[in-house]
Amino acid sequence: MVFYPPRSNPPLPPVPDSIPICDFMTDESYGRTSLSSSLHPFTCGLSGKTHSWVEVRDRVDYLARALANEFGWHPNQATEWDKVVACFLLNTIDTLPLFWAIHRLSGVATPANAAYSAAELTHQLKDSGAKALFTCLPLLNTSLEAAAKAGVPKNRIYLVDLPPQVTGDAKTPAGFKTLEQLIQQGRQLPRLERLKWSPGQGARTTAFLCYSSGTSGLPKGVMISHRNVIANTLQLNTYEKPSRDKLRAKDPRIPEQEVSLGLLPQSHIYALVYICHCGSYRGDQIIVLPKFEINSFLNAIQRFKISALSLVPPIIITMLRNQELLKKFDLSHVRSIFTGAAPLGAETAQELQNLFPSWAIRQGYGLTETATVICATSLLDIWFGSSGNLIPGVEARIVTPEGKEIHEYDTPGELVVRSPSVVLGYLNNEKSTKETFKDGWMFTGDEAMIRVGPKGTEHVWIVDRIKELIKVKGLQVAPAELEAHLLEHPMVADCAVIGIPDEAAGEIPKAFVVKAPAASGDDSAVSQAIKKHVEDHKARHKWLKGGVEFLDVIPKSPSGKILRRLLRDKEKEARRKAGGKL
């Protein structure tokens, strides 16, 4: 049985398939809110620095000219895979204009998680075939190490400015060009020829290569087309506009454009599409913060009168733990929050609602492979624990492990979806592409069920993950990646990694280890050595904060598959005996 968006929702308008994202976002002829009536798209939440939409449009143009001159690229020559640029950055007000300048040349932007270690960044640079790297001062040392290993020359590393509140008195080292210098150079260069795309080219051409931790091995490059991002931007705006209009009709004081929070990493699909593209397309202002720090977070909400917060559950929990601090800031302009990347429990949502009764607390669900949102809570149809309704243009099925269709409500199975935002596949990974994308449908690996909500509409409830990913503060960790790394340690004979519950992070990795004969008898020393091995080579969210537990044997099936369910059951029983605390 196929499930559809509520009939009360407007249909999805035609999705352009022959234009690049940069034109869709900066040219009013494609339906965006007029540039003159839009708020400034990106404003630094620390320094207040900002640019109008007209200025952003010009900066994109100038930067594209400079990149073409710098690399010898031409908009209508070669393929996008000859023009791959990696962006290893903290959030900045220039990140999205940089992406759009790359797209203006029909190139690929591959954003990298700012928490990456040098080894992880090296993998992405090599796998993507990046020809250049944009980074920032706090990440320069990691960038230099990774670029050297990946064969990206030093003169192809560029710096993007951050506010002085982040960099202090540090100056740009000699020998590095900055994004701002490129823009100034571009002003003096001749205009670029227009992109000449044929019908369907926007649906075939990769715009973003975002890396997603699969269930095994190293992160995989997800090929996201121009049409994928354009589609989801239209889907979200089509879905959200009616409820926003109804609320404004009831209270004319509510402005047409929101001031929204841009705190979540712009390298992550949630922020990349939902916040940065969907929000700025409809004329919202996005207040950009480079990272989460609770005082700067609250100060930005107060200073810029932010009305919409896009968050993840760990930030919400931090807020609930710091209620006395929250009282010191004026949060009265906040009208709604949207949370994603990990499930928000109904109890946590209710606790936040009790603290801020006037806030509309919404939740959504999506994946890098669906670029991004599949379902979301409407402002007028909130049901705590639900991930909301399917958005326009999305179809969904629920299937059993045997592939049988589930027709009933309240019956869990794997969520399978079809949408114009579903991506092209995985780069150079035909096996994973075939396993995930079948006959036009994307198999999410998440267990879900359809339930009828209080207002009679069908809501999607995410029950559990069928895939083995661990989500730490919304960031994905593949157990197999950590297991392969642990097996490199001389004290580890065998191992398995699972995610265990953590109130602040959602989940944290825990390792079960069979010690090698060479390991000493001191479990504490061995445990510390194993943890350090991970901390020396992996990003912080992959550290074994759940600890190391030693076993005589790792439970496995006859075929050798790790039986993580037994390890999770073991962990649950230990927690039960400990009264919920370990």
Side-chain angles (χ1 to χ4, degrees):
M1 176 177 178
V2 178
F3 296 93
Y4 299 93
R7 291 182 179 178
S8 58
N9 286 357
L12 178 67
V15 180
D17 66 0
S18 60
I19 61 171
I21 293 170
C22 54
D23 287 1
F24 176 74
M25 294 299 298
T26 61
D27 189 331
E28 294 175 6
S29 61
Y30 299 112
R32 64 151 296 124
T33 300
S34 69
L35 301 185
S36 61
S37 61
S38 296
L39 302 176
H40 288 200
F42 307 109
T43 298
C44 178
L46 298 178
S47 69
K49 183 179 179 181
T50 189
H51 301 289
S52 70
W53 255 114
V54 172
E55 290 171 327
V56 167
R57 182 187 60 190
D58 289 344
R59 288 170 71 81
V60 171
D61 179 33
Y62 300 148
L63 182 55
R65 297 184 205 182
L67 294 179
N69 181 69
E70 190 83 359
F71 305 142
W73 293 348
H74 301 276
N76 295 299
Q77 295 180 20
T79 74
E80 71 264 40
W81 299 110
D82 298 305
K83 310 168 191 174
V84 180
V85 179
C87 304
F88 182 51
L89 295 162
L90 299 175
N91 290 350
T92 81
I93 63 172
D94 286 315
T95 302
L96 269 294
L98 169 60
F99 293 160
W100 297 333
I102 296 165
H103 296 154
R104 176 68 181 82
L105 297 170
S106 195
V108 177
T110 180
N113 186 337
Y116 269 176
S117 67
E120 290 163 323
L121 180 59
T122 300
H123 166 70
Q124 183 163 335
L125 293 175
K126 286 182 175 180
D127 190 68
S128 66
K131 305 297 189 294
L133 172 62
F134 280 79
T135 189
C136 52
L137 279 178
L139 304 178
L140 181 57
N141 288 339
T142 301
S143 297
L144 289 170
E145 182 180 344
K149 292 178 179 177
V152 177
K154 190 174 179 181
N155 66 351
R156 287 292 179 261
I157 299 175
Y158 304 86
L159 291 172
V160 179
D161 289 335
L162 287 170
Q165 291 89 336
V166 177
T167 58
D169 297 328
K171 304 297 181 185
T172 301
F176 292 96
K177 287 185 181 179
T178 68
L179 179 141
E180 196 62 40
Q181 288 171 337
L182 290 172
I183 288 174
Q184 297 310 315
Q185 289 177 14
R187 287 177 181 270
Q188 313 304 320
L189 294 170
R191 286 186 175 275
L192 296 172
E193 60 179 333
R194 300 283 297 178
L195 282 169
K196 301 170 185 176
W197 281 8
S198 59
Q201 193 165 345
R204 300 188 299 269
T205 303
T206 298
F208 291 105
L209 187 65
C210 293
Y211 277 72
S212 173
S213 295
T215 57
S216 62
L218 292 165
K220 300 189 290 289
V222 180
M223 299 182 291
I224 302 170
S225 76
H226 289 261
R227 186 174 186 264
N228 292 149
V229 175
I230 291 170
N232 208 232
T233 300
L234 291 174
Q235 288 174 296
L236 286 161
N237 278 293
T238 301
Y239 177 68
E240 295 187 343
K241 188 176 188 303
S243 59
R244 289 169 64 130
D245 287 347
K246 286 180 182 178
L247 290 175
R248 277 196 298 272
K250 290 181 180 179
D251 185 354
R253 295 172 299 176
I254 298 176
E256 188 167 348
Q257 274 80 43
E258 298 267 21
V259 179
S260 63
L261 177 69
L263 164 66
L264 302 179
Q266 292 165 337
S267 61
H268 191 281
I269 197 68
Y270 175 8
L272 180 62
V273 176
Y274 179 75
I275 301 173
C276 295
H277 282 91
C278 178
S280 58
Y281 178 81
R282 65 178 173 230
D284 291 355
Q285 181 179 27
I286 299 162
I287 307 302
V288 177
L289 290 173
K291 60 181 180 179
F292 177 70
E293 190 282 317
I294 191 164
N295 282 285
S296 60
F297 161 71
L298 295 172
N299 185 65
I301 296 172
Q302 174 179 274
R303 176 184 176 187
F304 296 97
K305 300 179 180 179
I306 294 175
S307 54
L309 305 178
S310 294
L311 305 174
V312 290
I315 293 177
I316 294 172
I317 291 169
T318 300
M319 293 172 68
L320 292 172
R321 286 177 172 177
N322 290 273
Q323 295 183 27
E324 289 304 312
L325 178 61
L326 267 58
K327 293 176 183 177
K328 298 179 181 179
F329 293 84
D330 179 6
L331 309 182
S332 62
H333 288 85
V334 176
R335 287 190 296 272
S336 69
I337 75 162
F338 187 89
T339 179
L344 179 70
E347 299 83 2
T348 304
Q350 187 59 59
E351 187 178 353
L352 185 66
Q353 188 76 88
N354 293 342
L355 188 61
F356 298 104
S358 65
W359 290 11
I361 300 171
R362 307 170 56 212
Q363 184 167 191
Y365 166 82
L367 302 162
T368 305
E369 289 85 348
T370 59
T372 180
V373 178
I374 287 297
C375 54
T377 307
S378 162
L379 285 164
L380 301 175
D381 188 8
I382 294 171
W383 189 15
F384 290 161
S386 153
S387 291
N389 315 122
L390 296 174
I391 65 174
V394 174
E395 302 166 82
R397 295 157 47 211
I398 306 292
V399 300
T400 68
E402 296 75 32
K404 180 182 176 182
E405 298 275 349
I406 293 174
H407 303 277
E408 300 80 15
Y409 294 131
D410 304 302
T411 306
E414 183 174 5
L415 178 64
V416 182
V417 299
R418 183 161 61 187
S419 167
S421 69
V422 169
V423 305
L424 300 173
Y426 299 112
L427 178 67
N428 300 325
N429 197 327
E430 187 176 351
K431 179 176 181 292
S432 292
T433 298
K434 287 183 176 179
E435 290 171 352
T436 304
F437 306 92
K438 303 174 186 177
D439 301 321
W441 293 86
M442 190 260 160
F443 286 71
T444 68
D446 285 319
E447 189 176 47
M449 59 183 173
I450 306 297
R451 302 180 65 191
V452 177
K455 297 199 174 182
T457 60
E458 293 174 340
H459 283 243
V460 178
W461 282 68
I462 304 300
V463 180
D464 202 354
R465 271 192 311 284
I466 296 170
K467 292 181 179 178
E468 303 290 355
L469 294 176
I470 303 166
K471 284 198 173 180
V472 182
K473 294 186 178 180
L475 299 173
Q476 295 179 343
V477 179
E481 178 190 350
L482 284 182
E483 288 158 359
H485 184 64
L486 289 172
L487 288 171
E488 296 173 358
H489 197 284
M491 295 183 183
V492 178
D494 201 0
C495 64
V497 175
I498 66 169
I500 63 173
D502 180 79
E503 186 179 20
E507 287 183 309
I508 49 177
K510 175 176 179 176
F512 292 87
V513 170
V514 176
K515 290 195 295 184
S520 70
D522 185 347
D523 283 358
S524 177
V526 175
S527 175
Q528 290 304 313
I530 291 171
K531 288 181 183 178
K532 187 175 186 302
H533 178 62
V534 174
E535 291 167 9
D536 286 347
H537 297 91
K538 298 293 179 181
R540 182 177 291 271
H541 65 282
K542 299 179 183 181
W543 293 2
L544 299 175
K545 294 185 178 178
V548 175
E549 183 173 339
F550 296 104
L551 300 177
D552 293 328
V553 64
I554 301 295
K556 296 182 181 180
S557 69
S559 64
K561 179 179 174 60
I562 296 172
L563 299 175
R564 299 185 204 280
R565 175 180 53 81
L566 298 182
L567 295 173
R568 284 193 285 266
D569 289 345
K570 172 182 171 61
E571 184 69 14
K572 286 178 183 177
E573 179 62 17
R575 285 176 174 268
R576 187 190 67 78
K577 290 181 178 179
K581 296 180 180 180
L582 281 177

